[in-house]
Amino acid sequence: MDKHAGGLNRRIKRMRHAGSRSLAVVCSLVVLIVMLPASGHALDSDYRLGAGDKTRVRASEWRASQAQVYEWDAISGEYTINSSGFISLPLIGEVKATGKTTSELSDVIAEGLVKKIGTVKRPEIAIEITQYRPFYILGPVTKAGDYPYRPNLTVLQAVGIAGGFRRTADERPERESISGEGDLNVLQLSLSSYLTRLARLNAELSDANSITFPAEINSQANNPTVRDFIKQQGSIFQSRKESMRAQLKSYEALKVLLSQEVTSLNERAQSQQRQIELAKRERDAVDTLMNKGLTVNARQSTLEQQLAQFESSKLDISTSILRAQQELSKADRDSLELRNKFKNSVSDEIHDVSLKLQETKEKISTAQALLSETDGFISKASDRNARISYSIVRKVDGKAQEIAAEESTPVFPEDVIRVRINRRPDFAETGRSELGSEQAAGQLPGAQLKSIR
């Protein structure tokens, strides 16, 4: 009985083990089926690859002996098709991808692995397009340019991706006109400010007693802001002029004092010279008496000492005169340096203001042109009979061709969508064509298409 029960248990264990193995095989097959080439998007089966497309490659092989799927990690990864139309893969090298579908490229890679490595069984290659080449959109849209392609894209969807149509008169572009007028007014006030400042600097440079403002400033004298500019620059002119006058006056006063000191020292020097001459005559007289024996040596020594003191005092006075003359020359130099420094500062300021003045004039010119264009757009956009049309520039057999399109027309990578606003003749003849619109007929010039790409 026990032996029979033991055999039964062994048979149950073998059945369980076989069932578990079958389940593992089934699960592995399911994983392999999921990994087989589904080509990412439904469009990928018909889509022809081109330079710039990014792909994800996964290589795998079903190994029945191990009941599992083996991943070829050396091959699997993301690859971008280069400008020559190739992708570079490990083990097999460069593979031509341009013009092939994902299924065709899968077959080429699989065959390449078989030939290169010599595998008995051909591996399964799954290719998914992760990023398509861009498409381009031109015309009166919010943000013209290039955008990543999406499968099943239409012209209308492309317009939406570009931010929709540029605002029309119904969307109150008058706000832009008002804002433009405000910016223009600010620039014109800046221009008036620079003009008044430049007039004041020119008056300072020429040592004028008053500022001579240009005619374009005098013509705006009734404008309160311009009047404030004139008053402000006049105050600055008087303040700087008074400051310069005060500094120059202090130098002049110093020079007067030094001149008086030099005069006084010269008079002292002359007086000292007379004393020296008297002392010398007295000394000579004593020497004569000494030779005759009529006086003593003490008298002669006293006179010699007095003479030495007089000459020493005269030397001190001469030194003081030289020092005073040096101070006088320094005061002259400082006064001249002050004038030159002020002139140089004014000249530099004139240069800076002139540059800002020219820059402001250019900004005013640009603002006026933009405002004129905005006003013209408002006028033209008021035409309710405007009609939007589309066309697509597409390369066919290596040549760019322009084809008419509708909102539902499919778009493909590298397509150039051109949006136009066609208006009545009376509006078309009054100014330039609508914002971003092109000529009504003809192909996109090759140079322009090349620059876009």
Side-chain angles (χ1 to χ4, degrees):
M1 183 70 178
D2 293 337
K3 184 182 294 183
H4 179 71
L8 180 59
N9 289 333
R10 285 194 296 272
R11 291 173 65 186
I12 291 173
K13 289 179 179 180
R14 284 198 297 273
M15 292 174 66
R16 288 178 177 175
H17 178 70
S20 300
R21 185 172 181 181
S22 299
L23 180 60
V25 171
V26 171
C27 292
S28 299
L29 285 173
V30 170
V31 172
L32 180 61
I33 291 171
V34 171
M35 294 179 59
L36 288 178
S39 301
H41 302 288
L43 175 67
D44 295 353
S45 59
D46 299 324
Y47 177 73
R48 297 289 172 177
L49 296 169
D53 285 333
K54 294 184 179 180
T55 62
R56 181 183 292 114
V57 177
R58 296 189 64 182
S60 59
E61 177 187 350
W62 168 250
R63 295 185 176 179
S65 60
Q66 300 177 4
Q68 65 179 9
V69 176
Y70 175 76
E71 295 282 351
W72 290 67
D73 294 332
I75 295 292
S76 300
E78 293 193 358
Y79 302 92
T80 301
I81 302 175
N82 61 28
S83 58
S84 301
F86 290 83
I87 59 173
S88 182
L89 296 168
L91 302 179
I92 61 176
E94 289 194 337
V95 176
K96 181 71 173 180
T98 298
K100 293 182 174 62
T101 65
T102 53
S103 298
E104 292 170 350
L105 183 58
S106 298
D107 293 337
V108 173
I109 295 174
E111 292 296 332
L113 286 173
V114 171
K115 292 179 181 179
K116 188 72 175 181
I117 302 176
T119 57
V120 176
K121 188 175 181 181
R122 170 175 154 165
E124 299 292 345
I125 306 297
I127 297 180
E128 177 186 1
I129 301 174
T130 58
Q131 182 174 325
Y132 293 86
R133 288 163 284 166
F135 70 92
Y136 307 86
I137 184 166
L138 305 174
V141 293
T142 302
K143 293 183 67 176
D146 62 293
Y147 294 90
Y149 176 76
R150 302 176 185 179
N152 303 317
L153 183 69
T154 65
V155 169
L156 186 60
Q157 291 172 341
V159 172
I161 292 173
F165 296 106
R166 200 171 295 173
R167 293 194 305 173
T168 64
D170 293 335
E171 294 172 328
R172 297 181 65 87
E174 291 86 353
R175 293 182 180 178
E176 293 184 2
S177 178
I178 294 172
S179 176
E181 289 179 356
D183 294 339
L184 184 59
N185 289 335
V186 171
L187 289 171
Q188 288 173 339
L189 288 176
S190 297
L191 180 66
S192 299
S193 174
Y194 288 133
L195 287 172
T196 54
R197 184 178 174 187
L198 187 61
R200 186 257 300 172
L201 292 170
N202 287 326
E204 290 177 342
L205 189 64
S206 60
D207 288 329
N209 293 323
S210 60
I211 304 175
T212 302
F213 293 101
E216 50 192 317
I217 292 297
N218 293 328
S219 63
Q220 304 177 61
N222 293 329
N223 186 316
T225 305
V226 176
R227 193 161 55 244
D228 289 342
F229 289 156
I230 294 174
K231 183 178 179 181
Q232 180 185 25
Q233 294 302 323
S235 299
I236 295 174
F237 176 77
Q238 292 299 330
S239 175
R240 287 161 64 100
K241 193 174 185 66
E242 289 297 330
S243 175
M244 175 60 66
R245 185 182 293 120
Q247 293 182 67
L248 293 175
K249 188 176 180 180
S250 65
Y251 280 119
E252 291 299 326
L254 177 61
K255 288 162 62 177
V256 169
L257 290 175
L258 291 172
S259 297
Q260 292 175 351
E261 182 179 0
V262 170
T263 301
S264 175
L265 289 171
N266 283 328
E267 292 175 355
R268 287 182 57 191
Q270 293 174 2
S271 175
Q272 196 70 19
Q273 182 63 32
R274 287 194 296 271
Q275 290 181 352
I276 291 173
E277 291 175 355
L278 290 174
K280 285 182 178 180
R281 284 198 295 270
E282 186 176 358
R283 183 196 62 184
D284 293 340
V286 169
D287 288 343
T288 302
L289 294 174
M290 280 287 297
N291 292 332
K292 294 180 179 181
L294 300 176
T295 186
V296 296
N297 291 334
R299 176 62 177 165
Q300 185 181 23
S301 298
T302 301
L303 290 174
E304 290 290 346
Q305 290 177 356
Q306 288 179 348
L307 182 60
Q309 289 177 355
F310 290 153
E311 289 178 344
S312 176
S313 297
K314 182 183 177 182
L315 183 60
D316 291 340
I317 293 172
S318 298
T319 302
S320 298
I321 290 173
L322 290 175
R323 186 179 299 109
Q325 290 175 339
Q326 289 177 347
E327 292 293 332
L328 185 60
S329 298
K330 184 176 182 300
D332 282 329
R333 291 196 305 271
D334 290 345
S335 176
L336 182 61
E337 184 179 355
L338 177 64
R339 293 176 183 273
N340 292 336
K341 187 176 181 181
F342 179 75
K343 297 288 185 182
N344 292 335
S345 175
V346 171
S347 298
D348 292 340
E349 200 170 351
I350 287 175
H351 176 71
D352 294 339
V353 172
S354 297
L355 290 178
K356 292 179 180 179
L357 185 64
Q358 183 61 32
E359 181 182 353
T360 303
K361 287 181 178 179
E362 292 176 358
K363 288 181 178 180
I364 288 176
S365 178
T366 302
Q368 288 174 338
L370 291 175
L371 184 60
S372 176
E373 183 176 348
T374 302
D375 292 341
F377 176 70
I378 293 173
S379 175
K380 288 187 285 185
S382 63
D383 178 19
R384 299 184 180 275
N385 294 325
R387 185 177 64 85
I388 298 174
S389 64
Y390 309 94
S391 64
I392 294 177
V393 178
R394 182 175 295 162
K395 273 194 173 183
V396 179
D397 296 330
K399 296 182 179 180
Q401 296 184 3
E402 185 170 5
I403 58 176
E406 302 292 338
E407 291 181 347
S408 58
T409 301
V411 178
F412 297 101
E414 295 189 333
D415 278 356
V416 180
I417 305 169
R418 301 173 70 181
V419 183
R420 298 183 181 89
I421 297 180
N422 304 314
R423 303 190 180 279
R424 295 185 308 186
D426 55 337
F427 284 94
E429 293 172 1
T430 55
R432 293 191 295 269
S433 58
E434 186 51 60
L435 296 175
S437 61
E438 313 288 344
Q439 295 179 352
Q443 297 181 357
L444 184 68
Q448 184 176 354
L449 182 61
K450 182 178 180 180
S451 65
I452 293 173
R453 295 184 178 177

